Amino acid sequence: MDDLISRINKPADLRNFNEEELKLLAIEIRKEIIRVVSTNGGHLASNLGVVELTIALLRQYNLPEDQIVWDVGHQTYTYKMLTGRYGDFCTLRMCNGLAGFPKRCESEYDCFNTGHSSTSISAALGILRANNIKGDHSKVIAVIGDGALTGGMAFEALNDAGQSDMDLLVILNDNEMSIGRNVGGMAKHLSAIRVSKRYLNLKHRTNKILSKTSLGRFLKKILEIFKHLIRYIIRPEKVIFEDLGFKYYGPVDGHDINDLELHFAASKNIRGPVLIHVLTKKGKGYEFAENSPDKYHGVAPFEIANGIPLPQRNEGDEFSSFSEAFAEILCDLASEDDSIAAISAAMTSGTGLDKFEKRFPKRFFDVGIAEQHALTMAAGMACGNVKPVIAIYSTFLQRAYDQLLHDIALQDLHVVLCIDRAGIVGEDGETHQGIYDIALLRSIPGMTILSPRNYEQLRSMISYALYTKGGPVAIRYPRGGEPKNFRRLTNERQEKIIFDETAELLHEGNDLTIITEGIMFSYAYEALIKLQENGIKCDLLDVRIIKPLPAKQIIISAIKTKCIMTIENGINNGGLGSAVEELLSDNQILVPVIRLGVGDHPLVHGKISELFRIEGIDAAAIYNEAVNAVSNINSSYKTINSSE
Ligand SMILES: Cc1ncc(C[n+]2csc(CCOP(=O)(O)OP(=O)(O)O)c2C)c(N)n1
């Protein structure tokens, strides 16, 4: 009977449901989450864990006047369904469909956009302070996971909020997991609190049983003697949040709607900041996700009956992705060189480093969601003559710009950044696109930026970064695997190469120079074949190194063709195209440069191929731009010649 959800048009409708109906509703919601995520992909386990928590919040608070800031925002599927978006839920993560994260432009119920971790307490405190200035007494709630709590920003915000007199409610959604098992001292602290709760529950039950007989009462007395001792051993002396200035309640069973609501209702009468510690099970209600919440954190489309992802790997591929290739290559090198250490900021499996962790546990460090700390710690390791390799998604590296500049580059320390998910990432949308790294990294002094187009280049660049180059070196590679079409079109075999800071000329012609980075050469090559059929012949230069640019090769080609087109998997402003323009202008070579890349706007969610099309950097767009460029050049020469 799948009709309870459709009876909810606004959160207040939830108040009409009785306890039994709420339980059935939670089942329906989980079914719908599993159904949609199994076809669209998305964040599964986190969403299955917060169904009851979301229902309880929506029943207790008056939204949209009261506001909820969801940390990371990947767990808002139930929230979306219950705040008027159930009808559109099947479009989740699709181009022009619902976003996978909160979006203010999508609904009045989304009060703050999130995507990167650990921002919720700061944002909620800001909204609350603004309300306070305006005399508005609405409630503001931050929901933050135990993983997100490992991020430095969360501590900064707790530090501020705890000493404020703001009526901020922080809900700590503790499922013992970040994407993988949560790490660090805070995780241990939370675990001690959980254990003490279990102990107290057990004690309560034991007391009840023992009180029933005289032997039992005797045993109970003996147990009493140990009680304080045991409690002292397992319970933390104090809950850290209390010392920071929060009133702490919990832990509460996050799947008991009634209990959750009692706590929320009670907290409304308490002045000052309150933290309610809620325990949930990541993946709840779907066996495969409950058993392996890490594997089902973010998933591609899968078969519901067995939880198995629909096939992705092409037969005969050496690796399924750049991430896998990176991990294998690094493990090979680390087996020969015990000065190599690897660092992850809570993205161990996503970056492929789980392999490294298994093989070299003493040289692997997961620092939690702490990108800034990861980079400065790497700087410290480099001072200690270890070779730190940080595997990090492009989007999350943004957090650590100052650490890269201040702690690594200004000391010219040898740290290798392997930047995964560089370029357009697709369905996770604007907060996760890896399109800013070239522009950011170009501004860092002494930085080397490399961009491999295939696994073999990646292999040679990792060796180059570790053994040839000093200072900070970044290697950026995209989500997914190496392009297949180029090899199909050219019968290119992957030769073993030794990278030497030069570009590679993949095709020669006199009419136009096309300069690409990374996998963009494959789109360019497809366009180039069509251009050739239409009489336009191009140089195709795979730049391979973005900083420092292979200046000589670019200049020679520019002088020959008198027209340049750059194509990059990143933003136009400050990217490869800008670098080429600067190079030519610095050398007084005045030829037009047409820059194809992502425009100056947030890049929404959708399939990678759709976004390439929308941004005008797929093969068709390259072809059209090239035809226009060459004909403009020809006509401007004609104009110049006829006026002579
Ligand atoms: C700054 C930043 N780094 C990394 C990530 C990738 N990431 C997304 S969710 C997540 C784990 C969050 O764990 P938790 O807050 O406990 O939420 P759960 O998924 O367990 O409910 C990570 C590391 C991110 N979103 N932001």
Side-chain angles (χ1 to χ4, degrees):
M1 192 187 67
D2 279 1
D3 60 0
L4 284 171
I5 316 180
S6 50
R7 278 165 44 193
I8 301 160
N9 296 313
K10 54 187 184 313
D13 296 339
L14 282 164
R15 297 196 191 119
N16 304 329
F17 287 14
N18 63 31
E19 209 174 317
E20 200 45 40
E21 285 172 323
L22 289 175
K23 279 189 187 147
L24 290 173
L25 175 69
I27 294 170
E28 267 184 33
I29 290 174
R30 286 200 167 89
K31 246 171 112 176
E32 184 64 358
I33 291 173
I34 295 166
R35 189 183 72 77
V36 171
V37 175
S38 73
T39 53
N40 297 15
H43 289 91
L44 186 62
S46 317
N47 279 293
L48 293 175
V50 295
V51 176
E52 289 83 3
L53 173 60
T54 311
I55 293 173
L57 278 169
L58 290 176
R59 276 166 57 86
Q60 274 300 317
Y61 292 92
N62 293 317
L63 274 75
E65 289 74 32
D66 293 336
Q67 292 171 298
I68 303 176
V69 183
W70 295 91
D71 210 286
V72 184
H74 62 316
Q75 74 290 55
T76 46
Y77 297 175
T78 303
Y79 184 75
K80 292 198 178 216
M81 281 192 244
L82 299 181
T83 52
R85 287 169 273 182
Y86 170 57
D88 291 331
F89 192 63
C90 56
T91 68
L92 185 75
R93 290 159 56 87
M94 289 160 70
C95 207
N96 301 319
L98 284 189
F101 294 85
K103 290 280 174 276
R104 281 153 55 90
C105 61
E106 190 178 281
S107 163
E108 60 177 337
Y109 291 96
D110 292 0
C111 66
F112 198 80
N113 292 12
T114 45
H116 285 198
S117 164
S118 319
T119 62
S120 62
I121 306 174
S122 303
L125 185 62
I127 294 170
L128 200 55
R129 281 179 167 153
N131 287 352
N132 202 37
I133 290 168
K134 293 180 305 190
D136 171 348
H137 299 294
S138 315
K139 307 276 177 214
V140 185
I141 301 138
V143 182
I144 183 165
D146 55 314
L149 202 60
T150 61
M153 266 191 84
F155 285 92
E156 293 169 29
L158 285 173
N159 189 47
D160 181 8
Q163 295 307 307
S164 74
D165 55 359
M166 291 286 116
D167 294 341
L168 174 71
L169 174 60
V170 174
I171 294 174
L172 170 58
N173 170 29
D174 179 3
N175 54 24
E176 302 176 59
M177 299 291 292
S178 191
I179 290 180
R181 187 143 286 280
N182 204 9
V183 297
M186 178 56 93
K188 262 198 182 154
H189 183 70
L190 296 179
S191 155
I193 300 173
R194 274 192 306 269
V195 170
S196 80
K197 169 80 173 180
R198 272 178 219 137
Y199 158 71
L200 291 175
N201 285 345
L202 181 71
K203 185 173 71 94
H204 182 64
R205 267 181 276 140
T206 322
N207 277 350
K208 260 171 119 179
I209 296 164
L210 292 182
S211 302
K212 287 181 182 156
T213 66
S214 54
L215 176 64
R217 280 190 287 276
F218 172 69
L219 286 174
K220 194 176 143 194
K221 275 214 165 122
I222 295 178
L223 279 179
E224 284 288 318
I225 297 168
F226 291 105
K227 185 179 88 177
H228 292 293
L229 182 64
I230 296 167
R231 195 170 170 194
Y232 176 76
I233 293 168
I234 61 176
R235 188 185 161 98
E237 265 291 87
K238 253 204 164 181
V239 173
I240 189 171
F241 308 106
E242 288 172 353
D243 278 350
L244 285 168
F246 280 77
K247 303 217 173 52
Y248 167 91
Y249 296 92
V252 187
D253 177 352
H255 300 296
D256 182 335
I257 296 176
N258 206 17
D259 204 12
L260 286 167
E261 286 199 54
L262 285 175
H263 278 79
F264 298 155
S267 74
K268 290 179 191 168
N269 299 318
I270 298 167
R271 298 278 67 88
V274 172
L275 186 140
I276 301 180
H277 185 179
V278 172
L279 303 184
T280 59
K281 175 118 190 104
K282 200 162 175 170
K284 184 155 176 83
Y286 185 55
E287 190 193 342
F288 306 106
E290 281 194 22
N291 294 339
S292 309
D294 49 344
K295 286 205 186 97
Y296 289 85
H297 176 87
V299 290
F302 63 94
E303 192 82 55
I304 296 178
N306 54 22
I308 296 175
L310 303 177
Q312 305 238 306
R313 179 191 282 253
N314 292 331
E315 283 308 311
D317 283 358
E318 188 183 5
F319 303 112
S320 63
S321 63
F322 274 98
S323 317
E324 188 185 317
F326 152 73
E328 290 285 345
I329 295 162
L330 192 68
C331 285
D332 286 352
L333 294 170
S335 64
E336 305 280 316
D337 178 354
D338 57 17
S339 73
I340 292 175
I343 301 167
S344 165
M347 301 304 291
T348 306
S349 64
T351 55
L353 278 182
D354 42 348
K355 285 203 176 78
F356 190 101
E357 179 182 20
K358 269 194 203 101
R359 285 188 61 186
F360 313 103
K362 288 203 175 124
R363 289 190 269 148
F364 171 76
F365 305 92
D366 176 0
V367 297
I369 306 179
E371 290 80 8
Q372 304 174 352
H373 162 57
L375 266 78
T376 302
M377 188 189 76
M381 290 173 99
C383 288
N385 293 323
V386 158
K387 297 188 193 82
V389 177
I390 306 170
I392 187 164
Y393 286 15
S394 169
T395 187
F396 304 137
L397 175 63
Q398 288 159 208
R399 278 275 161 100
Y401 179 82
D402 185 53
Q403 286 70 16
L404 180 56
L405 175 65
H406 179 274
D407 298 323
I408 298 176
L410 296 186
Q411 304 187 68
D412 196 30
L413 291 172
H414 187 203
V415 172
V416 177
L417 291 168
C418 288
I419 305 179
D420 201 327
R421 307 314 196 259
I424 296 176
V425 299
E427 291 86 349
D428 279 345
E430 62 201 53
T431 52
H432 285 65
Q433 306 290 4
I435 53 182
Y436 303 97
D437 59 274
I438 300 180
L440 287 174
L441 294 176
R442 275 190 60 228
S443 65
I444 303 276
M447 190 83 217
T448 301
I449 311 171
L450 308 171
S451 184
R453 72 165 188 269
N454 58 30
Y455 302 142
E456 198 43 49
Q457 281 194 358
L458 176 65
R459 184 186 300 281
S460 68
M461 285 175 184
I462 293 175
S463 293
Y464 174 81
L466 282 167
Y467 298 110
T468 308
K469 200 76 190 174
V473 187
I475 308 173
R476 77 183 306 259
Y477 42 88
R479 181 180 158 206
E482 59 183 9
K484 300 288 164 308
N485 64 341
F486 183 70
R487 274 201 265 157
R488 219 178 41 237
L489 292 166
T490 61
N491 294 325
E492 182 197 48
R493 292 210 2 255
Q494 287 205 16
E495 306 287 344
K496 282 234 170 307
I497 54 163
I498 296 173
F499 181 65
D500 59 359
E501 289 206 7
T502 59
E504 196 176 345
L505 190 59
L506 295 168
H507 191 273
E508 288 188 64
N510 292 327
D511 300 322
L512 173 71
T513 302
I514 300 179
I515 300 176
T516 62
E517 59 80 31
I519 58 164
M520 298 312 293
F521 81 96
S522 81
Y523 296 91
Y525 194 78
E526 219 167 296
L528 182 144
I529 291 181
K530 226 174 124 195
L531 287 166
Q532 184 141 307
E533 285 163 12
N534 289 290
I536 298 174
K537 299 195 174 62
C538 308
D539 265 6
L540 175 57
L541 208 55
D542 168 19
V543 76
R544 300 199 294 193
I545 179 161
I546 297 170
K547 188 178 178 186
L549 274 177
K552 203 169 146 194
Q553 289 165 290
I554 293 174
I555 289 171
I556 289 172
S557 183
I559 291 172
K560 180 177 75 168
T561 65
K562 299 191 180 53
C563 185
I564 301 260
M565 176 181 284
T566 59
I567 305 163
E568 62 197 293
N569 195 358
I571 55 167
N572 260 329
N573 286 347
L576 169 67
S578 302
V580 169
E581 275 201 299
E582 287 162 22
L583 170 78
L584 296 176
S585 133
D586 289 350
N587 287 279
Q588 284 96 45
I589 296 164
L590 301 177
V591 301
V593 178
I594 296 120
R595 292 178 292 143
L596 301 190
V598 177
D600 190 19
H601 51 79
L603 183 56
V604 291
H605 55 278
K607 281 194 175 32
I608 291 181
S609 54
E610 285 170 330
L611 299 179
F612 269 73
R613 184 177 45 74
I614 291 168
E615 289 302 311
I617 47 179
D618 63 357
I622 296 169
Y623 171 80
N624 290 334
E625 289 285 346
V627 169
N628 284 342
V630 173
S631 79
N632 283 346
I633 291 226
N634 289 341
S635 58
S636 57
Y637 277 129
K638 273 185 206 139
T639 318
I640 293 165
N641 289 338
S642 61
S643 63
E644 273 171 0

